[in-house]
Amino acid sequence: REGVAGLLVDLTWRAMGVVHAEPGAFSPARAEFMGGLLFTALGALVNLADEVKDQAVLEREGVLDVFISLLGDPDPSVQYYAIVGVQNLMATADCVGALVRQGGEPVVEELALSPVEAIAEAARGAHRNIAALLQQLSMLDISDLLIPDEEDDEAEAEAEAEAFAGGAGAALAGPEGFGGRKGDSEAEAGARAIAHAQALRRHRLATGP
């Protein structure tokens, strides 16, 4: 399906070039045909994003780039396909990282306030998927730092542990450890540790693999 995704991406860009061309640049018949082709291609890409397990393949083929670029399209129908596609792809660190690096996350948050309920609901779904992935990754980060993997690179592990100790580790350690806040309950310390770990993970996603 990797080759199919690439063909659909190319077809989408070609169709967008016709749909967004200056009036009169193409015959009405061709503009109408390419408009229909656009939605066919977008629908197929949305389905691929929902069905393909290896989403990194779709990200490499430019599928996510298409969706992010079309989030701000003036046509609500195009916006809908774009945000549903983004929602479907927000299940891996590669795709969430690409969205964050391309500045797509604020657009997703803005679309959550769209007067078109279907668009708003898909945007809220994308936001939930992003939050769930960050939660999962941050918990793995905390686990890796508390119980290091013997195969981890020593320098990398030390660097991550130092960053962790500045926030999440301090929160977990409490007032007796890295200088945590006095009076914190275990729940408060844990919540602060998770929040810091999520911030670290978001930064890592935003700065690339």
Side-chain angles (χ1 to χ4, degrees), residues 176-188:
E176 303 298 327
F178 301 108
R181 299 174 185 173
K182 292 183 179 180
D184 269 358
S185 67
E186 290 186 5
E188 290 170 333

Side-chain angles (χ1 to χ4, degrees), residues 146-200:
L146 294 179
I147 309 174
D149 189 327
E150 293 181 0
E151 296 181 357
D152 283 346
D153 179 81
E154 184 175 346
E156 181 181 350
E158 288 181 359
E160 291 185 353
E162 182 178 349
F164 179 77
L172 284 174
E176 303 298 327
F178 301 108
R181 299 174 185 173
K182 292 183 179 180
D184 269 358
S185 67
E186 290 186 5
E188 290 170 333
R192 201 167 73 252
I194 292 171
H196 184 76
Q198 287 180 341
L200 286 176

Side-chain angles (χ1 to χ4, degrees), residues 44-82:
L45 287 174
V46 167
N47 289 336
L48 279 177
D50 186 45
E51 296 172 0
V52 173
K53 293 182 179 180
D54 188 0
Q55 294 189 342
V57 170
L58 299 183
E59 195 270 325
R60 289 195 301 270
E61 285 288 300
V63 175
L64 183 59
D65 293 341
V66 168
F67 291 145
I68 293 174
S69 297
L70 298 182
L71 288 175
D73 194 90
D75 186 339
S77 296
V78 173
Q79 273 191 337
Y80 173 73
Y81 278 102

Side-chain angles (χ1 to χ4, degrees), residues 33-125:
F33 173 77
M34 293 302 286
L37 207 57
L38 169 64
F39 288 108
T40 299
L42 283 175
L45 287 174
V46 167
N47 289 336
L48 279 177
D50 186 45
E51 296 172 0
V52 173
K53 293 182 179 180
D54 188 0
Q55 294 189 342
V57 170
L58 299 183
E59 195 270 325
R60 289 195 301 270
E61 285 288 300
V63 175
L64 183 59
D65 293 341
V66 168
F67 291 145
I68 293 174
S69 297
L70 298 182
L71 288 175
D73 194 90
D75 186 339
S77 296
V78 173
Q79 273 191 337
Y80 173 73
Y81 278 102
I83 190 59
V84 171
V86 167
Q87 178 185 13
N88 289 346
L89 287 175
M90 293 300 100
T92 67
D94 286 336
C95 289
V96 171
L99 180 77
V100 172
R101 290 191 296 275
Q102 293 186 43
E105 194 173 13
V107 184
V108 171
E109 294 175 355
E110 183 178 333
L111 289 178
L113 303 176
S114 171
V116 181
E117 181 55 31
I119 292 176
E121 178 55 35
R124 291 191 290 268

